[in-house]
Amino acid sequence: MVEKSSDKIIIHAANVDKWFGNFQALKGVSADITEGEVVVVLGPSGSGKSTFIRCINQLEEHEAGEIVVDGIEINDDSRNLQKIRSEVGMVFQQFNLFPHLTVLDNVALAPRKVKKMPKKDAEELAMAGLTRVGIPEQAIKFPTQLSGGQQQRVAIARALAMQPKIMLFDEPTSALDPEMIKEVLDVMRELAESGMTMIIVTHEMGFAREVADRFLFFAEGQIVEQGTPDHFFNNPQEDRTKLFLSQIL
Amino acid sequence: MDLISEILVTPFMQRALIGSLLLAILLGLFGVFIVPRKLGFMADGVSHASLLGIAVGIMFGGAPLMWAALVAACIGLVLARIEDNERLTLDSVVGIVLVGGMSSAVILMALTPGYKPELITYLFGSLLSISWNDIYLLIAFFVVTLFLFKIQWRTLVLTTVHGELSSVLGLPTSAAKYFLFVGTSVALIAGVKLLGVILISALLIIPFSAANQATRSLRGSLILTECLAIIGTITGIILSYVYDLPTGPAIALVFVALFLGCVIIGRIKSRPVLGPEHNH
């Protein structure tokens, strides 16, 4: 297990607002996340959890406030966006692989196209990633030939291939059959233990309690409560948090 | 046989067939990437708004289609620029451009004295309007565009298959996007003499939409799109010649028929096959 001792703030969000038409998805959200920290984001549907992490790699543009990722502010400068995207890996609810590319090509794509890595090196890196997530033997298959759990592990390997400093997970197991959830959580657990900075939106409470350094609880676009797993599960302060926990535990 | 020989030796039909083949291939190709991105409406907006360029050309002299291509390229650049703008949706901008361009064109034409017979040609297309110079220009545009397609092919495929994932991976997608928007816009203008401003979008939108009813793979769609584009255009031209019909509407209606045919074939293909236990 890698020591998580860094106090360096790697993600700084201050007073972030995000609107979808007339609906305000984020209302003045502020959070600092330190290097190596594993933060689990919880909250009811439509509370702004996914929007928050999508703003961190600018899949959604925030309208007000400030988001700084590893010293780079997210703004209209496309060079900043490029740098941030190379430092932030993301795994979605759906497996999000290119169906016409083999597993190996999916994983090697970004290193080749973005980092301009020679094909051989990119494929070696991709194989190392596939080995890390436990499916090197699937390299020459196409995504549709794999189970959901295997596809999600490929998606994790694909994100890791860019050697990101931060990994974002947006409900990575919610589209999986129950028997496939464990294999994905095992990979994420290993990643958390390796010292990777992770922000995870999930409803897998057992897993979250085990790996999280901190919880952020969202409701109606705001962070209502945050704290350690012990605080969150044993001593929640806010009525909204208590209600949520009573519904899901 | 007589009809085919007659068509092949008639100079304006030779030009129409060569031009339509090149256009069918080009616009079919652009359609493969435009339609899945739900940008089909852009074709109507660009082609209609480009009437402004045609009006400028007629009013002030010069080649109207060159002015139209310039207007279309500018619109393509603007649309590519605002594609990801969350406050300004693409369809609303296309609507504004369409209305603004056409209104300006109509007012300009009203201010231009004299009868303007060529305007109808630009609206609905005409076999007779295509010159050898048009064909040479079209060949040059065709070659350059295919070369650019070759360079941008992989990125176009990736961003079409999964735009969000391409963004997350940080793939360099800007050049491909601008090529797609500007290239499509100019290619539409290249086909105005054949199908006219009103109907040229049919050649961009319908072949892929029809192919997509019968096949799901990108490669299959691409091949079928190109086949349908070529078959539809040539059939429409021959019908137009034989029955003395307006060219643009004839081609467009053939495409509509092909689309309906593909929908029916697609439905039949997707109908569940009954197993032996159902054969009573």
Side-chain angles (χ1 to χ4, degrees):
Chain A
M1 181 120 169
V2 173
E3 200 67 31
K4 296 177 181 178
S5 57
S6 173
D7 288 330
K8 180 189 169 190
I9 292 174
I10 197 161
I11 299 172
H12 167 71
N15 302 314
V16 175
D17 285 348
K18 170 68 191 172
W19 294 79
F20 292 109
N22 294 324
F23 174 70
Q24 188 169 8
L26 296 178
K27 300 172 184 170
V29 170
S30 298
D32 284 335
I33 290 157
T34 56
E35 199 170 42
E37 194 175 16
V38 177
V39 175
V40 169
V41 182
L42 293 174
S45 295
S47 59
K49 315 179 295 286
S50 294
T51 305
F52 176 59
I53 68 169
R54 287 170 68 86
C55 283
I56 291 172
N57 69 351
Q58 220 185 349
L59 278 177
E60 305 290 353
E61 285 180 35
H62 58 288
E63 272 95 21
E66 181 186 54
I67 301 177
V68 180
V69 178
D70 198 21
I72 307 162
E73 184 174 0
I74 295 178
N75 52 29
D76 291 338
D77 190 334
S78 61
R79 288 167 300 183
N80 284 0
L81 176 62
Q82 203 68 23
K83 280 185 212 161
I84 287 168
R85 293 233 168 109
S86 68
E87 295 199 357
V88 181
M90 185 158 186
V91 177
F92 300 84
Q93 181 177 342
Q94 296 301 330
F95 317 126
N96 281 6
L97 299 168
F98 290 110
H100 64 295
L101 299 181
T102 64
V103 163
L104 186 68
D105 286 341
N106 261 290
V107 181
L109 180 68
R112 285 185 63 198
K113 292 292 172 186
V114 181
K115 291 196 167 175
K116 307 293 179 197
M117 203 178 269
K119 185 180 179 189
K120 187 169 173 290
D121 295 350
E123 287 184 349
E124 281 175 9
L125 183 70
M127 278 308 294
L130 289 171
T131 304
R132 185 174 181 183
V133 300
I135 44 171
E137 74 284 358
Q138 309 292 347
I140 57 167
K141 290 186 180 171
F142 287 91
T144 50
Q145 296 173 285
L146 271 52
S147 70
Q150 288 172 326
Q151 288 188 51
Q152 197 61 300
R153 284 196 273 167
V154 176
I156 294 172
R158 186 255 301 146
L160 290 174
M162 284 297 282
Q163 296 162 318
K165 292 183 178 173
I166 301 158
M167 285 285 285
L168 308 175
F169 292 88
D170 189 2
E171 300 194 33
T173 56
S174 54
L176 294 176
D177 293 333
E179 69 270 23
M180 293 171 186
I181 290 174
K182 182 179 177 299
E183 62 183 273
V184 174
L185 295 183
D186 285 345
V187 171
M188 291 171 64
R189 190 176 288 110
E190 185 272 325
L191 207 53
E193 288 169 357
S194 74
M196 173 71 77
T197 308
M198 295 163 71
I199 305 180
I200 307 166
V201 177
T202 184
H203 293 300
E204 296 294 331
M205 300 308 290
F207 165 78
R209 193 170 189 167
E210 184 189 335
V211 301
D213 296 311
R214 183 157 53 115
F215 281 87
L216 301 180
F217 178 68
F218 274 69
E220 295 174 0
Q222 293 174 305
I223 297 177
V224 173
E225 187 161 2
Q226 57 179 304
T228 62
D230 183 49
H231 163 90
F232 196 78
F233 285 101
N234 299 325
N235 191 25
Q237 300 297 307
E238 301 294 329
D239 290 343
R240 193 71 189 78
T241 315
K242 290 173 189 170
L243 176 66
F244 178 76
L245 289 172
S246 71
Q247 288 169 336
I248 61 164
L249 290 178
Chain B
M1 277 310 280
D2 285 349
L3 175 67
I4 292 171
S5 307
E6 184 185 325
I7 287 173
L8 291 177
V9 297
T10 309
F12 77 86
M13 284 302 287
Q14 291 173 344
R15 294 193 294 270
L17 286 172
I18 294 169
S20 65
L21 267 177
L22 298 175
L23 281 168
I25 293 168
L26 266 191
L27 284 169
L29 205 48
F30 277 116
V32 171
F33 299 104
I34 286 286
V35 180
R37 293 170 189 233
K38 301 183 172 65
L39 296 173
F41 182 50
M42 171 191 144
D44 272 325
V46 170
S47 58
H48 284 62
S50 70
L51 204 61
L52 171 62
I54 290 168
V56 169
I58 291 174
M59 189 174 188
F60 298 108
L65 280 186
M66 285 300 167
W67 284 102
L70 186 64
V71 169
C74 292
I75 295 171
L77 277 173
V78 170
L79 295 180
R81 182 82 180 88
I82 60 112
E83 191 198 11
D84 299 323
N85 190 315
E86 292 182 1
R87 294 184 189 194
L88 211 52
T89 61
L90 197 67
D91 57 349
S92 60
V93 175
V94 168
I96 293 164
V97 163
L98 189 156
V99 169
M102 275 206 86
S103 305
S104 310
V106 171
I107 287 175
L108 274 184
M109 295 311 294
L111 295 174
T112 309
Y115 177 56
K116 290 152 300 258
E118 66 270 46
L119 194 60
I120 296 298
T121 301
Y122 290 119
L123 286 177
F124 296 107
S126 166
L127 287 178
L128 295 168
S129 65
I130 301 167
S131 68
W132 281 115
N133 278 342
D134 293 330
I135 297 295
Y136 300 144
L137 264 176
L138 193 53
I139 290 170
F141 179 66
F142 183 84
V143 171
V144 171
T145 307
L146 281 195
F147 175 70
L148 293 174
F149 257 116
K150 186 174 185 308
I151 294 173
Q152 296 295 342
W153 186 259
R154 192 173 170 87
T155 309
L156 282 171
V157 170
L158 293 174
T159 50
T160 303
V161 170
H162 209 317
E164 187 170 75
L165 181 55
S166 304
S167 299
V168 168
L169 294 178
L171 299 177
T173 57
S174 287
K177 180 171 83 169
Y178 279 94
F179 163 65
L180 187 64
F181 275 73
V182 176
T184 302
S185 302
V186 177
L188 285 164
I189 303 310
V192 158
K193 279 196 172 181
L194 186 71
L195 271 98
V197 162
I198 308 285
L199 297 168
I200 185 61
S201 60
L203 195 44
L204 183 81
I205 296 166
I206 302 181
F208 175 80
S209 302
N212 205 34
Q213 304 302 313
T215 177
R216 288 290 172 200
S217 77
L218 187 73
R219 183 174 299 185
S221 291
L222 178 64
I223 294 168
L224 192 54
T225 296
E226 292 296 6
C227 291
L228 291 173
I230 291 168
I231 292 167
T233 313
I234 291 178
T235 307
I237 285 177
I238 292 171
L239 289 176
S240 162
Y241 175 77
V242 173
Y243 297 105
D244 196 21
L245 301 171
T247 314
I251 295 172
L253 279 181
V254 171
F255 277 129
V256 171
L258 284 174
F259 174 75
L260 293 175
C262 285
V263 169
I264 292 166
I265 291 169
R267 287 285 162 90
I268 293 169
K269 274 177 68 177
S270 63
R271 186 178 295 171
V273 178
L274 296 177
E277 67 273 23
H278 293 96
N279 294 332
H280 300 299

